[in-house]
Amino acid sequence: QQPPSSEENYKTATAQKQFSHLVDLAILIMTMKFQFFLRQRKASFSTICCVAFITSMLVNPVRGYASWLKCFIDLDPEEVVMHHPMVPSEDAHEEVFIEVQPYGDSTEWIASQEYTLDKGIKASRDEADSTTTNTLKLRLKVPASLEKEDVQFVVEVKGEGAAFIDLGVMCDGVRAFSRNHDEHVILQVNSTSTMADNSPIELLAGWASGFEAVTLTPTMTLKRRPGSGVAAEEL
């Protein structure tokens, strides 16, 4: 099965936006009629105010959690999520980065624009199979102002041999999500001798704290290189 084209993605997103607007309009009309009915019945002022408040919550644009991002929505400032465009990293109100940690005994988290993978573990006992595997934990590094906030995120990987596994996997392993910035997802990177050592892997995340516009992180690049990994200078 072939993935949907960009034109199909655009048509689907447009149809969903139009449907959302129609639902908002229907809710508004029905609620106005209900309020009129309450006034005719001489309902209390507090009851009418309560109905008006519920209406405003339903009709006003609700800014989506990052984990609500669907596979057909690109992580791009030109995309609109719940009536709001995504915020590029350079316009972010807080500095948030992707950070990684090799899966295993390591306790150090590295947040950098570039990270070099180590040699990896041989994936098979078959001597003819040269595939090696690197497994990484990924989460977000947030400032102190967001540490106690409900920060959710979706992270996407682009690159040959890389896919998310296990926790929060979506979009056939291209993306993974977490409902807390400090709860990691897991990325697996397979490399073979036929892959160029300079074949990079790019990571990009979208995050939101509560019901607000989705903000993008700076892109993090993973580099393949034989030998021990050398992490870039931490941000």
Side-chain angles (χ1 to χ4, degrees), residues 38-102:
L38 291 176
R39 285 197 294 269
Q40 291 293 97
R41 295 282 178 160
K42 297 182 179 181
S44 67
F45 178 75
S46 60
T47 300
I48 295 175
C49 288
C50 181
V51 172
F53 173 75
I54 294 174
T55 303
S56 67
M57 292 296 291
L58 291 173
V59 176
N60 286 343
V62 179
R63 299 179 180 183
Y65 274 64
S67 61
W68 292 358
L69 288 173
K70 304 301 181 183
C71 300
F72 61 82
I73 300 177
D74 294 330
L75 295 183
D76 188 287
E78 294 185 0
E79 287 283 4
V80 176
V81 179
M82 302 296 282
H83 310 293
H84 289 269
M86 294 187 193
V87 180
S89 60
E90 56 268 24
D91 295 334
H93 62 279
E94 300 280 6
E95 290 189 333
V96 176
F97 303 94
I98 298 171
E99 59 181 3
V100 299
Q101 179 186 103

Side-chain angles (χ1 to χ4, degrees), residues 111-186:
S112 67
Q113 292 185 338
E114 290 186 0
Y115 178 85
T116 303
L117 298 170
D118 63 20
K119 192 174 181 180
I121 299 173
K122 199 172 188 321
S124 172
R125 294 182 179 181
D126 185 357
E127 293 297 329
D129 185 357
S130 62
T131 303
T132 58
T133 300
N134 290 89
T135 305
L136 300 174
K137 298 177 184 178
L138 277 75
R139 67 181 190 184
L140 294 187
K141 178 179 181 179
V142 302
S145 58
L146 290 178
E147 285 183 351
K148 295 183 179 180
E149 297 295 324
D150 184 16
V151 178
Q152 301 190 20
F153 69 92
V154 168
V155 59
E156 179 178 272
V157 62
K158 293 182 179 179
E160 186 179 7
F164 290 102
I165 61 172
D166 196 18
L167 306 172
V169 174
M170 50 193 297
C171 312
D172 296 325
V174 175
R175 292 182 181 176
F177 78 92
S178 175
R179 299 191 183 279
N180 291 289
H181 69 88
D182 58 353
E183 293 182 2
H184 68 267
V185 296
I186 300 175

